[in-house]
Amino acid sequence: MIAYFGPQGTFTEQAARGLIPDGEFLPAETIFAALNAVRDGRAEAACVPVENSVEGPVNATLDGLTESTVLVAVAETILPVQFSVLVRQDASDIRTVASHPHALAQVRQWLATNLPEAEQVPTSSTAAAAQAVRRGEYDAAVTASVAAQHYELREFVGGIADLADASTRFLLVRRPGRLPEPTGADRTSLMAVTVNRTGALAELLTELSFRGINLTRLDARPAKTHIGQYRFFVDMEGHIAEPRIGDAVAALRRRCSVRFLGSHPRADHAPSSGEPPVGNEDFVAATNWLESVRRGESV
Ligand SMILES: O=C(O)C(=O)Cc1ccccc1
């Protein structure tokens, strides 16, 4: 069973069906509920949105992955997202338009131009907004086009997005277990809580940079312990099975609290960029040399 951030008709449902085409799916009303379905065993995995190219990180996912037993990402997909504005068949004027905040943000200009008087109302998801329009609570919903069929609504307008090539990245997460095999085009995700000291984050990032590891994402979320304490979410190119990446992650672990959030193939299949100053084979050779020195066989 694959839980997904629902209800039926969300972009996340499309992502889940793309990742596991022959899966059995369990819609969840919130991202936390989708993740907790994995934690309590009702689902083997969950599909949740993690970031989009307009609004950035999906905070509920970052918090949800780490605020209980940790779940790890084993796959990802990136969907281009365009939106439809759905209304009831008998719609006349539109005084309220509802959607997920990340959807409203991605059509902000369109709404300001075309529905400037409509009150914008945040809902838990785009499909939840469609359900609310069906119930008569709001006049319009900004959704994926597929939601029209699920909730018997009419497409007032389709194919809208302020940025034509906007996209959203979704994760498939599971309980910790066997890692996906390295592919040479992978992403490793961590959550680190640094000590609240000048330079602590810079030192953490230096452990990556001087090993030639390219950071692909850095987000900060409140640690919710006290003001000023943050959880840093760090994505990097590479797979933790690679000696160079493993060496860097161990170095971070020596410096601060680190949680592993997964190593998995990148949806864009982009191989690790650049020629690192020291490659995986150098780490293996250095480790072998150190072991032979310790055995008194080398100097
Ligand atoms: O609400 C949805 O449909 C989701 O899947 C979350 C979302 C919202 C806006 C853009 C991409 C995903």
Side-chain angles (χ1 to χ4, degrees):
M1 182 69 77
I2 309 295
Y4 69 86
F5 174 41
Q8 264 195 322
T10 58
F11 289 104
T12 306
E13 180 187 17
Q14 291 176 46
R17 292 183 182 279
L19 282 165
I20 316 284
D22 54 358
E24 193 181 353
F25 296 95
L26 173 69
E29 291 302 310
T30 66
I31 286 170
F32 274 81
L35 298 175
N36 289 341
V38 179
R39 292 185 171 114
D40 66 20
R42 285 177 294 125
E44 293 80 43
C47 185
V48 291
V50 64
E51 64 175 338
N52 75 59
S53 54
V54 174
E55 273 299 274
V58 179
N59 292 334
T61 294
L62 299 187
D63 293 348
L65 283 175
T66 54
E67 279 179 3
S68 175
T69 50
V70 170
L71 299 176
V72 295
V74 295
E76 68 174 36
T77 186
I78 295 174
L79 291 187
V81 288
Q82 289 204 321
F83 300 90
S84 296
V85 177
L86 304 185
V87 297
R88 284 183 304 279
Q89 304 301 343
D90 60 354
S92 52
D93 61 334
I94 296 173
R95 294 182 304 283
T96 51
V97 58
S99 196
H100 185 282
H102 276 227
L104 292 173
Q106 295 185 62
V107 295
R108 183 177 290 131
Q109 291 165 22
W110 188 92
L111 291 173
T113 304
N114 298 280
L115 295 172
E117 302 306 318
E119 178 194 358
Q120 298 178 27
V121 183
T123 55
S124 59
S125 72
T126 61
Q131 288 180 324
V133 170
R134 168 50 39 217
R135 290 194 300 266
E137 290 172 26
Y138 304 119
D139 297 325
V142 175
T143 72
S145 58
V146 69
Q149 292 96 310
H150 287 300
Y151 303 107
E152 295 175 4
L153 297 174
R154 175 166 63 85
E155 188 171 71
F156 175 71
V157 65
I160 62 171
D162 292 346
L163 294 178
D165 56 355
S167 59
T168 296
R169 185 162 67 92
F170 301 83
L171 297 178
L172 187 71
V173 301
R174 296 181 188 278
R175 284 186 294 276
R178 180 178 170 75
L179 301 184
E181 289 300 316
T183 64
D186 300 307
R187 185 190 316 271
T188 290
S189 299
L190 305 175
M191 190 272 289
V193 180
T194 59
V195 294
N196 192 359
R197 163 176 64 76
T198 303
L201 177 58
E203 290 168 12
L204 184 151
L205 299 179
T206 301
E207 291 287 3
L208 302 178
S209 63
F210 88 81
R211 288 175 173 81
I213 295 171
N214 184 32
L215 215 56
T216 61
R217 182 171 67 101
L218 174 63
D219 290 306
R221 287 292 296 150
K224 301 184 183 178
T225 49
H226 51 274
I227 191 90
Q229 185 72 32
Y230 292 96
R231 293 179 179 139
F232 293 103
F233 290 81
V234 178
D235 283 4
M236 66 194 79
E237 291 178 348
H239 191 293
I240 198 164
E242 295 175 47
R244 182 165 62 98
I245 304 298
D247 190 73
V249 174
L252 297 187
R253 179 78 176 198
R254 289 195 294 272
R255 285 183 178 280
C256 63
S257 158
V258 173
R259 305 290 283 273
F260 175 64
L261 297 180
S263 283
H264 61 270
R266 290 177 57 150
D268 58 8
H269 306 296
S272 296
S273 56
E275 188 51 41
V278 180
N280 282 321
E281 63 287 347
D282 302 300
F283 278 81
V284 172
T287 301
N288 294 339
W289 170 80
L290 180 63
E291 290 311 310
S292 71
V293 168
R294 287 171 173 162
R295 292 192 301 269
E297 298 163 5
S298 300
V299 291

